[in-house]
Amino acid sequence: MLLLFASGRRFYRRPLKYTNIIEPIRTTTESIPTIRLCDKNGEPLAPLPADLSEPGKLKEIYKNMLLLAGMDKLLYEAQRQGRISFYMTSSGEEATHFGSAHALHPEDPIYAQYRETGVLLTRGFSLQQMLHQMTGNCMDLGKGRQMPVHYGSAALNIQTISSPLGTQLPQAVGFAYRLKLQQKPNVPICYFGEGAASEGDFHAALNMASTLKTPVIFFCRNNGLAISTPDHEQYAGDGIAARGPAYGITTFRVDGNDLWAVYSVTKMAREMALSQNTPILIEAITHRIGHHSTSDDSSAYRQLDSQK
């Protein structure tokens, strides 16, 4: 059924359902399922992706995970000593980095926040270049104009990270629309935390992507804390994934600590976005451990830590 509005020739696209029962729509108690290919002990629950199972590739991923952990420890302590002004760690979230990054094409644009260092390592951004950026020396690609951890590389298709939360979301949609018009076989991926999903830019980006049918992947790593604000203080619904269908966006929820599942979901999301010219939302449920941010832990954060 098409509904013609009096103020202009606009049609409601979906058939309307009518009822004579007066009752509100309530929040469902059912949660969107979380995709997992391995159990908590690492035992496979389903066939694992063969293209990620090559011994050389797994060894490279594990090596980079250890490199990232060592880098986090070193630079977090350097920040606490006042040697650099700012640093954000990624401890515990490594599978979201390397699982998603290995599912991308080298020419797929990356819009990161500041906890996606593993994605940059996978793309080829060197540790030395990160240290140049961190210290803002003459070898820094940004010539010292950015805060630490705000990496960027035109050669590697990595858009420069911005400090304000969420600004990369509508930017990624714009880039995706350009690629669509140019008919290029690439998909921008936009990383953000669940804290950034509380910004207005999140909703604007999802609405633009849905209505413009842009091939873009929104990748949310939900660790339940943002920087120091627990998720129950940010939203009351079923996480971030529940917002995707409301905007008409195909959505996945995945175990962000399962490398295999993150890789498989991101690979499928990329194929769907490219073949169908459609945005995809991925919510990766993960946990950050160890050091958290440059700010002192809040009482709410310490309370959550004690419950884990």
Side-chain angles (χ1 to χ4, degrees):
M1 175 182 177
L2 294 179
L3 181 63
L4 179 62
F5 289 93
S7 57
R9 299 186 61 80
R10 291 193 174 188
F11 292 91
Y12 191 76
R13 294 189 175 187
R14 297 188 178 184
L16 296 177
K17 294 182 179 180
Y18 295 94
T19 179
N20 59 2
I21 300 174
I22 303 175
E23 63 178 0
I25 300 297
R26 295 180 175 86
T27 302
T28 177
T29 57
E30 296 181 3
S31 177
I32 295 174
T34 303
I35 300 168
R36 173 184 279 182
L37 299 186
C38 289
D39 63 19
K40 62 181 181 180
N41 297 317
E43 296 297 328
L45 299 172
L48 302 180
D51 48 349
L52 195 63
S53 302
E54 302 171 5
K57 182 171 289 188
L58 288 177
K59 185 177 180 180
E60 175 194 354
I61 292 174
Y62 185 60
K63 178 182 177 181
N64 281 330
M65 281 185 174
L66 294 178
L67 175 64
L68 178 56
M71 175 182 170
D72 274 352
K73 184 177 186 301
L74 177 67
L75 293 175
Y76 178 86
E77 292 177 352
Q79 188 278 327
R80 288 304 191 186
Q81 295 168 7
R83 299 176 184 273
I84 56 176
S85 62
F86 183 80
Y87 191 72
M88 303 295 274
T89 64
S90 307
S91 303
E93 302 176 1
E94 293 88 351
T96 63
H97 299 196
F98 298 103
S100 62
H102 279 275
L104 303 175
H105 187 277
E107 294 185 5
D108 289 341
I110 291 175
Y111 285 81
Q113 200 164 306
Y114 36 61
R115 295 192 193 273
E116 281 77 40
T117 309
V119 177
L120 276 67
L121 286 173
T122 301
R123 184 58 66 90
F125 201 79
S126 70
L127 178 60
Q128 185 62 63
Q129 191 58 62
M130 290 181 185
L131 293 174
H132 288 322
Q133 197 281 329
M134 211 77 60
T135 56
N137 62 29
C138 63
M139 301 297 291
D140 171 27
L141 296 177
K143 304 302 181 185
R145 299 186 182 98
Q146 282 277 7
M147 289 176 62
V149 198
H150 289 47
Y151 313 112
S153 171
L156 299 176
N157 297 298
I158 301 169
Q159 305 298 314
T160 302
I161 296 170
S162 300
S163 291
L165 290 181
T167 55
Q168 73 273 23
L169 286 149
Q171 293 169 2
V173 176
F175 203 128
Y177 189 58
R178 172 190 172 186
L179 293 175
K180 174 184 176 180
L181 295 179
Q182 294 176 334
Q183 298 183 340
K184 291 189 176 181
N186 297 110
V187 178
I189 184 168
C190 182
Y191 293 92
F192 59 100
E194 85 282 1
S198 295
E199 297 285 341
D201 284 338
F202 169 84
H203 299 280
L206 264 64
N207 193 49
M208 284 195 302
S210 179
T211 55
L212 294 175
K213 308 298 181 187
T214 57
V216 58
I217 299 173
F218 299 109
F219 193 102
C220 175
R221 39 168 179 71
N222 187 347
N223 55 47
L225 282 184
I227 290 180
S228 57
T229 305
D231 54 7
H232 69 268
E233 294 183 10
Q234 293 189 58
Y235 54 81
D238 182 24
I240 307 304
R243 305 178 190 181
Y247 283 103
I249 294 179
T250 301
T251 301
F252 296 90
R253 173 176 285 160
V254 62
D255 182 348
N257 294 90
D258 184 337
L259 177 77
W260 311 96
V262 174
Y263 171 80
S264 299
V265 165
T266 308
K267 182 179 180 181
M268 180 180 290
R270 185 185 186 278
E271 293 171 353
M272 293 176 64
L274 200 57
S275 62
Q276 302 175 21
N277 269 331
T278 186
I280 308 291
L281 173 62
I282 300 174
E283 181 185 22
I285 306 299
T286 184
H287 307 281
R288 193 182 324 132
I289 59 176
H291 306 306
H292 311 298
S293 71
T294 58
S295 61
D296 292 333
D297 294 343
S298 67
S299 58
Y301 196 103
R302 288 194 296 271
Q303 182 181 1
L304 274 182
D305 263 356
S306 65
Q307 296 171 358
K308 291 181 180 179

